[in-house]
Amino acid sequence: MTLPQKRILLALALCLSAGLTVAATIEGRVVGVSDGDTVTVLDAAKVQYKVRLTGIDAPEKAQPFGQRSKRNLSSWVFGKQVQIETNKSDLYGRTLGKVVVNGIDANLEQVKAGFAWHYKKYAGEQPAADREAYSRAEAFACTQRIGLWHDAAPMPPWDWRSCRRHKPGTEGMDCGVTRR
């Protein structure tokens, strides 16, 4: 191993030991859309990645607007070549990332179309420019009553999931399962 290679290896080891993550880009074709915030990408080596879109949380499939959210995301990405900007995975083994198709942030487009919330619980993990853009897009969709914001009081998916698990404190919640 040459000295420059050793230095690169040492720098990488130091980053990893310090708990830092290394950003990566996955390129491939979207071969599946599970719901409004999860896709399956197949790369050139035929490796499949289950990708959870970061910065957003879309209605669950059985939740109001869940099917429309899935269709909207499909119209943006299904069958298309995409780049996934990622630096981590979740507890379920999914790659977490921003899906970019033809230079456009599909995650942000879901929020703009009113088919996803800006997931503020994890907003601190987003670059500041993304955090601001997603927040503005959600506020605009809400004030214009676009997509799920057409409902008077749309239930965020994190509340819906909690309600469906019958956690204490959610007994009085309406977990509605209307499909739209």
Side-chain angles (χ1 to χ4, degrees), residues 92-142:
Y92 305 104
R94 298 176 298 187
T95 299
L96 300 175
K98 179 173 21 175
V99 178
V100 179
V101 58
N102 296 323
I104 298 170
D105 178 350
N107 307 28
L108 177 59
E109 292 304 316
Q110 279 291 88
V111 178
K112 284 181 179 179
F115 290 121
W117 277 259
H118 176 213
Y119 206 178
K120 293 176 181 70
K121 178 177 180 180
Y122 297 104
E125 297 178 10
Q126 290 181 284
D130 285 354
R131 187 170 47 246
E132 184 177 324
Y134 287 35
S135 185
R136 278 195 321 264
E138 181 183 279
F140 181 80
C142 180

Side-chain angles (χ1 to χ4, degrees), residues 4 14 18 34 36-37 43 46 50 55 58 70 90 93 97 101-102 116 119 128 131 147:
L14 288 172
S34 302
D37 56 25
D43 72 8
K46 305 294 184 212
K50 187 72 130 184
K70 177 182 175 181
D90 67 10
V101 58
N102 296 323
Y119 206 178
R131 187 170 47 246

Side-chain angles (χ1 to χ4, degrees), residues 45-157:
K46 305 294 184 212
V47 175
Q48 276 194 2
Y49 299 87
K50 187 72 130 184
V51 180
R52 170 67 168 80
L53 281 64
T54 54
I56 70 170
D57 200 4
E60 298 295 334
K61 287 186 284 190
Q63 192 177 358
F65 289 93
Q67 292 299 318
R68 288 180 60 190
S69 178
K70 177 182 175 181
R71 282 194 304 270
N72 189 69
L73 182 59
S74 291
S75 73
W76 272 101
V77 302
F78 186 73
K80 297 180 182 164
Q81 283 295 122
V82 298
Q83 294 78 42
I84 310 297
E85 298 173 8
T86 182
N87 65 2
K88 66 192 280 189
S89 58
D90 67 10
L91 297 173
Y92 305 104
R94 298 176 298 187
T95 299
L96 300 175
K98 179 173 21 175
V99 178
V100 179
V101 58
N102 296 323
I104 298 170
D105 178 350
N107 307 28
L108 177 59
E109 292 304 316
Q110 279 291 88
V111 178
K112 284 181 179 179
F115 290 121
W117 277 259
H118 176 213
Y119 206 178
K120 293 176 181 70
K121 178 177 180 180
Y122 297 104
E125 297 178 10
Q126 290 181 284
D130 285 354
R131 187 170 47 246
E132 184 177 324
Y134 287 35
S135 185
R136 278 195 321 264
E138 181 183 279
F140 181 80
C142 180
T143 59
Q144 297 300 306
R145 300 180 55 80
I146 299 171
L148 63 89
W149 299 105
H150 184 72
D151 278 359
M155 180 181 284

